Amino acid sequence: MKNERRAFLIAAGAMLAGALLPAHAAAQPEVQQAGTLRVAVYSDYAPFSARGKGIEVALAQSLAERLGMRAEIVEFPPDENMSDDLRNMVWKGHYLGRRPADVMLHVPVDAQFAAQNDKVTIFGPYHLETMALARNPARVPAATGSAAVAFEAFTREKVGVEVDTHASDFMLNVLNGRLRGNVVHFRSIAEAAAAMVKGEVSAVMAPRSQLEAALKENRQFEIDALNMPEMRVKGWPLGMAVKADSKELAAALSEALAELQRSGELGRIFSAYGVTHKVP
């Protein structure tokens, strides 16, 4: 049915297409190239975006479709921090010559962070990311209570983390560094999860979305939310960013996102990659 409708719109021409598409798509907001929504996503960042596939690639395509545009996906490696990423991919462009996108995804929706980056507008939270612990229940009990209780098992068992991440910093320093000898670093969450499947580590700490995707074929493991008081960052909403003066585009994207949420399509996109969608 969807393909038949698309074919009909193409055959009928631009005027008829404008009449049949949603109101916000008929009057397209200003973008760099007419008819194209250029969307920046992180590269090699499964399950969100990796080699042309992922949750945020699918989200970008759905948003563009509702604006009556095609999506141009730009995968880019992270810089030193997210403020640098916003400069390179949203409001200025990279010094090596890469032009910015119309919108960037996977941006934390946080008032303090937004105030520090006034050249962009951060909006449209579409998923609540949280820190979690995936564990072998035969070797590690449920992570409840304070860190001293929840992580006592890691004085004996090994826990995997991705290098240079919040999870790594936390596990190396919690309990006054007592767990350092049992913290094992990996290049990616997927590698850490594979090590747990092999029994090389008994648990992995990481953002829940990445754990769910990496372990979707291994249901024998448990994934616990981490709500202990020692954790400074427990969760953060993921949203979008456009240039500060792109108010019409932000409004159109917000409306398109609301349509995806109402229709259930946003939840289906997450589910397709083995991830539980959490409304911010």
Side-chain angles (χ1 to χ4, degrees):
M1 184 69 179
K2 190 174 182 180
N3 290 335
E4 292 175 356
R5 180 175 181 272
R6 184 179 293 112
F8 175 75
L9 291 177
I10 293 173
M15 289 182 62
L16 184 55
L20 292 178
L21 285 169
H24 62 272
Q28 293 181 350
E30 184 176 349
V31 289
Q32 296 177 67
Q33 181 179 342
T36 299
L37 183 67
R38 184 173 165 88
V39 185
V41 298
Y42 286 107
S43 58
D44 297 320
Y45 196 45
F48 292 99
S49 46
R51 299 173 182 83
K53 295 181 179 180
I55 292 169
E56 288 171 342
V57 173
L59 174 58
Q61 292 166 340
S62 293
L63 289 170
E65 182 179 344
R66 275 156 181 74
L67 297 185
M69 302 180 189
R70 75 172 188 89
E72 178 188 358
I73 309 297
V74 182
E75 296 188 34
F76 71 97
D79 209 316
E80 291 296 320
N81 56 59
M82 184 160 282
S83 294
D84 291 340
D85 296 337
L86 291 171
R87 179 194 64 225
N88 294 338
M89 301 309 301
V90 180
W91 63 267
K92 184 176 182 180
H94 199 278
Y95 69 92
L96 292 178
R98 181 191 290 123
R99 65 185 175 89
D102 297 306
V103 59
M104 176 177 156
L105 301 184
H106 212 89
V107 180
V109 181
D110 175 82
Q112 183 175 350
F113 179 69
Q116 295 167 354
N117 292 273
D118 59 359
K119 294 186 183 301
V120 301
T121 296
I122 299 173
F123 66 102
Y126 53 81
H127 179 60
L128 180 64
E129 188 61 277
T130 56
M131 292 302 298
L133 183 79
R135 60 185 174 86
N136 181 338
R139 296 168 62 180
V140 177
T144 58
S146 67
V149 174
F151 291 158
E152 190 274 337
F154 301 127
T155 60
R156 305 176 302 277
E157 298 282 350
K158 294 189 180 298
V159 56
V161 294
E162 185 178 12
V163 66
D164 293 331
T165 61
H166 173 63
S168 172
D169 291 342
F170 186 82
M171 292 304 295
L172 289 174
N173 292 289
V174 71
L175 305 186
N176 296 316
R178 286 173 52 209
L179 308 182
R180 289 189 177 193
N182 284 329
V183 178
V184 183
H185 286 85
F186 297 88
R187 291 179 297 177
S188 69
I189 301 305
E191 288 187 8
M196 186 164 69
V197 173
K198 295 176 184 176
E200 296 170 0
V201 297
S202 61
V204 177
M205 181 180 175
R208 188 182 190 96
S209 298
Q210 291 176 273
L211 289 174
E212 287 187 336
L215 294 168
K216 63 181 178 180
E217 305 299 332
N218 296 276
R219 300 296 185 182
Q220 70 270 32
F221 300 114
E222 301 287 340
I223 299 179
D224 299 335
L226 294 178
N227 297 312
M228 57 200 61
E230 293 89 345
M231 290 198 67
R232 182 175 57 85
V233 179
K234 298 182 179 68
W236 57 99
L238 301 176
M240 313 179 236
V242 299
K243 285 183 179 179
D245 59 0
S246 296
K247 300 186 186 308
E248 290 185 3
L249 178 58
L253 286 167
S254 294
E255 185 177 347
L257 177 62
E259 289 180 5
L260 292 177
Q261 292 172 325
R262 285 193 297 267
S263 69
E265 184 172 348
L266 185 59
R268 290 190 291 272
I269 289 173
F270 277 82
S271 180
Y273 289 89
V275 176
T276 303
H277 176 234
K278 292 187 175 292
V279 179

